[in-house]
C-alpha cells in the first residue's frame, strides 16, 4: 500500500536473500458471505440456518448475529479498492445461497445475483481473480426444516443451486470450490451442535457428511456441464493427527480421529471409497445404509484442484477415567464413535482461539495430500489466526498475526520445495468478521473492523502481506 503515513511494517523482509514463490503464485485473502455481508433481510434474501441459530438465545457469544456484520453488502466497491491497494491477486468469497435462491429452491433472485455480478466485475476491473465458494455454511432455513444435510434431497437442491450460480457467473469466474470445510458443516452442525443448525446426533452428522459430499459431486457435474473451462475443486479443513505417545492405544486413538477429521472426506472425494476402518469405528453409530450404489462414483467426479484449510494439529490419546472433555470443536460429540478419545494440549503457544500454533503441520498436511492422494494442484484456501488486537494512535500493530503468516508461508514454501504443486495461498481473513459461535469476539482479519463506525484499518500484517505479494516472496531467515 502506498500510504506515506503507514510505511511497510518492519520485519523479516528487511533482511537477507529472498524465499521466492513460483511465478504466478496466487496470493489472496478469503472471507465468507454470512461472516461479512450483513444486509440479512435486503434484496430478497431469506434466512439461512445461521440467521436462525444466531437469533436463538445462548447459541452465539453475547447474542451477536450476522445481521450487519462488516456491512460489506453496502461497502463492496470500497472493500474491493482496499484489496487492490493491498495488491491481492485473488479474492476468495462465498455466495450466500439464500440471497441468490431464497428458500433454497425455485428460481434465482435477480437482485441477489446482481450483487455477486457487481462484486466479480469490480474484482476483474481491479485485476483481482475471483475465487467463488458455493457453500460456506449458510443453508437456506426451509431446507433445514425439510431435514437439512442429513436428508438426501438436500444434495440435489445444492446441485440445482450450483447450476443457477454457474448460469449467472460462469462467464466471468474461473475458480470454483463447492463446499467449505464439510467437516464443520457435518460434525459441528449436526454432531456437537455448536454450529448451526445446532443439532446433536452422531448418525445425523455422518449422514450429513455423506450428503454434503454427494452434493459436491453433483454440483461438480453440473458446473462441468455448464462451464467446461472452469477450474473446479472443494475446500477441506485438514489436521495432522499425532498420538500423544507411541503406546498402541494412543496410536489407535490418532488413527480414529484421523479417519473422522481427514480421511472421511479425502478418501471418498479423491479415491472413491470410504476408509474401511471408519466404518468399523462407527458401527455403533450407523450402518452406512444411507450410502447408495453409485454415490461414491458421483462424489469422486474428477476435480481440477484441491483447497486445503490449515489451522492446527490434533494431538490425541486413549481415554483415561475421569478426564474432562475439551470445549468447543474438540467436544466429544464432534467425534461420533470416538467420544472417549482425549485431545491433549502440549503447552505450546496458542492463538486467541486456543488453537496450538503448529507450523510444520502445514508442510506435513500439504505433503500428505500430494503424496498419498493426488497430483492435483493444491491451494491453501485458508490459513490464519485470531489474536487480541488494539487500535493505538489509529494503527493496529498485530505482530503475532504477522509472525503466524510469516511462519506458515515458510512452511508452505517448504512443501513446494518437497515437490507439492502448491499454486496459491489465501490468508484468513481479509477483515475481522463474525466468527460463528464466537460472534465478533475473535478477530482473524488483516484489516481491523470498527463495528460501530464500520471504519476499516489495515493492520501491520496487511501492509506486510502487501509487500510479500509485491516481492512474490519472503526474506530467507
Ligand atoms: O472463520 C472460519 C471460517 O469461516 C472457516 N474456517 C475457519 C475460520 C476460523 O475459525
Amino acid at each position: 500500500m502506498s500510504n506515506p503515513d503507514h510505511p511497510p511494517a518492519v520485519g523479516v523482509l528487511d533482511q537477507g536473500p529472498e524465499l521466492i514463490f513460483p511465478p504466478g503464485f496466487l496470493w489472496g485473502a478469503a472471507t465468507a458471505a454470512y461472516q461479512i455481508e450483513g444486509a440479512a433481510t435486503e434484496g430478497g434474501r431469506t434466512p439461512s440456518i445461521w440467521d436462525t441459530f444466531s437469533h436463538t438465545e445462548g447459541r452465539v457469544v453475547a447474542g451477536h448475529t450476522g445481521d450487519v456484520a462488516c456491512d460489506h453488502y453496502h461497502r463492496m466497491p470500497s472493500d474491493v479498492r482496499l484489496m487492490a491497494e493491498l495488491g491481492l491477486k485473488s479474492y476468495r468469497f462465498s455466495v450466500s445461497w439464500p440471497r441468490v435462491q431464497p428458500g433454497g429452491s425455485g428460481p434465482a433472485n435477480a437482485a441477489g445475483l446482481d450483487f455477486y455480478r457487481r462484486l466479480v466485475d469490480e474484482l476483474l476491473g481491479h485485476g483481482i481473480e475471483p475465487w467463488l465458494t458455493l457453500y460456506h455454511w449458510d443453508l437456506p432455513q426451509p431446507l433445514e426444516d425439510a431435514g437439512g444435510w442429513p436428508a438426501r434431497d438436500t444434495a440435489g437442491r445444492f446441485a440445482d443451486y450450483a447450476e443457477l450460480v454457474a448460469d449467472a457467473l460462469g462467464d466471468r469466474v474461473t475458480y470454483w470450490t463447492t463446499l467449505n470445510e464439510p467437516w464443520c458443516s457435518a460434525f459441528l452442525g449436526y454432531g456437537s451442535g455448536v454450529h448451526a443448525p445446532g443439532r446433536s446426533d452422531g448418525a445425523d452428522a455422518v449422514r450429513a457428511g455423506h450428503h454434503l459430499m454427494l452434493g459436491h459431486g453433483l454440483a461438480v457435474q453440473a458446473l462441468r456441464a455448464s462451464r467446461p473451462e472452469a477450474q473446479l475443486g472443494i475446500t477441506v479443513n485438514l489436521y495432522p493427527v499425532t498420538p500423544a505417545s507411541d503406546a498402541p492405544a494412543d496410536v489407535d486413538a490418532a488413527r480414529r480421529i484421523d479417519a473422522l477429521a481427514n480421511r472421511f472426506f479425502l478418501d471418498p472425494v479423491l479415491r472413491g471409497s470410504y476408509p474401511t476402518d471408519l466404518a468399523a469405528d462407527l458401527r455403533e453409530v450407523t450402518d452406512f445404509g444411507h450410502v447408495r450404489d453409485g454415490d461414491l462414483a458421483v462424489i469422486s467426479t474428477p476435480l481440477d484442484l484441491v483447497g486445503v484449510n490449515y489451522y492446527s494439529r490434533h494431538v490425541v490419546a486413549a481415554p483415561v477415567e475421569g478426564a474432562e472433555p475439551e470445549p468447543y470443536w474438540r467436544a466429544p460429540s464432534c467425534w461420533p464413535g470416538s467420544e472417549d478419545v482425549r485431545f491433549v494440549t502440549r503447552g505450546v503457544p496458542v492463538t486467541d482461539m486456543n488453537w496450538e500454533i503448529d507450523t510444520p503441520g502445514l508442510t506435513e498436511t500439504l505433503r500428505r495430500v500430494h503424496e498419498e492422494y493426488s497430483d492435483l494442484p493444491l491451494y491453501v484456501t485458508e490459513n490464519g489466526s485470531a489474536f487480541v488486537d488494539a487500535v493505538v494512535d489509529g494503527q493496529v500493530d498485530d505482530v503475532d498475526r504477522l509472525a503466524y503468516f510469516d511462519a506458515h508461508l515458510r512452511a508452505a514454501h517448504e512443501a513446494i520445495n518437497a515437490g507439492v504443486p502448491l499454486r496459491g495461498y489465501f490468508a484468513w481473513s481479509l477483515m475481522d468478521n463474525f466468527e460463528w459461535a464466537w460472534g465478533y469476539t475473535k478477530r482473524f482479519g488483516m484489516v481491523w473492523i470498527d463495528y460501530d463506525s464500520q471504519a476499516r484499518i489495515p493492520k501491520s500484517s496487511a501492509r506486510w502481506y502487501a509487500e510479500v505479494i509485491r516481492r512474490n516472496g519472503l526474506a530467507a531467515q
Side-chain angles (χ1 to χ4, degrees):
M1 297 180 68
S2 55
N3 181 342
D5 299 330
H6 300 284
V10 175
V12 289
L13 288 179
D14 295 334
Q15 325 120 21
E18 290 178 305
L19 209 67
I20 297 298
F21 282 71
F25 194 77
L26 201 59
W27 295 102
T31 63
Y34 191 70
Q35 295 183 271
I36 66 163
E37 284 180 4
T41 56
E42 289 179 48
R45 184 186 180 280
T46 56
S48 78
I49 53 175
W50 269 98
D51 295 279
T52 308
F53 188 80
S54 64
H55 280 271
T56 305
E57 206 186 326
R59 293 301 207 169
V60 174
V61 170
H64 291 164
T65 73
D67 289 1
V68 177
C70 307
D71 197 30
H72 171 71
Y73 184 79
H74 297 115
R75 292 162 198 267
M76 180 272 288
S78 55
D79 284 341
V80 174
R81 278 200 298 279
L82 182 55
M83 296 175 212
E85 282 167 30
L86 292 173
L88 294 189
K89 304 286 183 215
S90 183
Y91 171 56
R92 175 177 177 253
F93 62 96
S94 78
V95 171
S96 158
W97 187 347
R99 195 182 287 292
V100 304
Q101 192 187 35
S105 55
N109 171 31
L113 284 175
D114 185 56
F115 169 72
Y116 295 105
R117 250 190 229 111
R118 287 188 289 112
L119 166 63
V120 167
D121 287 349
E122 202 74 43
L123 291 168
L124 293 172
H126 284 88
I128 300 171
E129 184 78 53
W131 183 300
L132 188 155
T133 298
L134 282 166
Y135 186 72
H136 200 124
W137 308 353
D138 42 3
L139 185 70
Q141 184 61 41
L143 296 187
E144 171 57 23
D145 298 340
W149 286 108
R152 188 177 177 89
D153 189 54
T154 305
R157 299 282 71 75
F158 180 63
D160 292 349
Y161 153 68
E163 198 171 336
L164 173 157
V165 181
D167 286 348
L169 299 173
D171 61 339
R172 54 197 94 182
V173 176
T174 300
Y175 292 93
W176 299 71
T177 32
T178 53
L179 308 174
N180 181 71
E181 302 184 350
W183 182 87
C184 296
S185 301
F187 291 96
L188 297 181
Y190 294 93
S192 71
V194 299
H195 277 190
R199 286 159 61 181
S200 194
D201 181 290
D204 278 346
V206 174
R207 292 168 71 92
H210 181 73
H211 295 141
L212 280 152
M213 286 189 284
L214 185 62
H216 151 80
L218 292 168
V220 169
Q221 294 180 351
L223 291 166
R224 188 74 79 201
S226 158
R227 292 285 150 188
E229 68 292 353
Q231 292 289 300
L232 308 178
I234 186 172
T235 279
V236 281
N237 51 320
L238 302 177
Y239 301 80
V241 185
T242 312
S245 80
D246 54 13
D250 288 355
V251 172
D252 194 57
R255 178 196 61 71
R256 288 160 65 187
I257 297 303
D258 178 51
L260 285 165
N262 301 315
R263 292 183 285 121
F264 187 105
F265 299 96
L266 289 173
D267 283 38
V269 170
L270 297 172
R271 289 185 179 155
S273 58
Y274 274 108
T276 45
D277 59 331
L278 176 80
D281 292 344
L282 287 171
R283 66 185 167 274
E284 306 278 304
V285 178
T286 173
D287 61 2
F288 278 86
H290 53 276
V291 179
R292 296 199 191 156
D293 283 352
D295 282 4
L296 285 154
V298 173
I299 290 172
S300 58
T301 300
L303 300 175
D304 303 304
L305 59 93
V306 178
V308 174
N309 289 1
Y310 177 78
Y311 287 93
S312 191
R313 176 189 303 268
H314 296 317
V315 181
V316 300
V320 288
E321 198 121 335
E324 284 295 307
E326 290 270 345
Y328 188 40
W329 54 291
R330 286 170 169 178
S333 47
C334 302
W335 307 103
S338 290
E339 292 88 347
D340 54 349
V341 169
R342 280 182 305 135
F343 284 76
V344 173
T345 45
R346 293 171 289 172
V348 303
V350 295
T351 68
D352 192 35
M353 298 297 282
N354 220 8
W355 297 348
E356 292 188 346
I357 300 173
D358 194 306
T359 313
L362 175 57
T363 319
E364 208 175 307
T365 300
L366 294 170
R367 287 192 65 168
R368 181 188 192 187
V369 176
H370 176 61
E371 290 165 15
E372 293 180 25
Y373 285 94
S374 174
D375 284 337
L376 288 173
L378 303 185
Y379 291 82
V380 173
T381 37
E382 283 183 29
N383 173 239
S385 51
F387 285 105
V388 177
D389 297 319
V391 183
V392 179
D393 296 334
Q395 302 212 31
V396 182
D397 194 19
D398 59 337
V399 285
D400 290 337
R401 186 174 296 100
L402 189 159
Y404 182 101
F405 282 134
D406 178 80
H408 284 80
L409 283 175
R410 288 172 198 285
H413 196 273
E414 204 176 314
I416 294 171
N417 284 344
V420 174
L422 182 69
R423 300 284 153 75
Y425 174 95
F426 291 79
W428 184 268
S429 175
L430 174 67
M431 57 181 101
D432 295 332
N433 57 49
F434 177 81
E435 178 52 26
W436 308 112
W438 295 97
Y440 300 100
T441 62
K442 306 289 179 191
R443 291 179 179 269
F444 274 91
M446 293 191 301
V447 173
W448 167 276
I449 299 289
D450 178 325
Y451 292 108
D452 294 326
S453 67
Q454 290 292 348
R456 274 85 167 125
I457 304 175
K459 304 176 190 176
S460 296
S461 61
R463 291 182 275 122
W464 170 87
Y465 193 52
E467 190 61 8
V468 170
I469 297 173
R470 197 184 65 72
R471 296 189 187 196
N472 197 34
L474 306 148
Q477 276 180 331

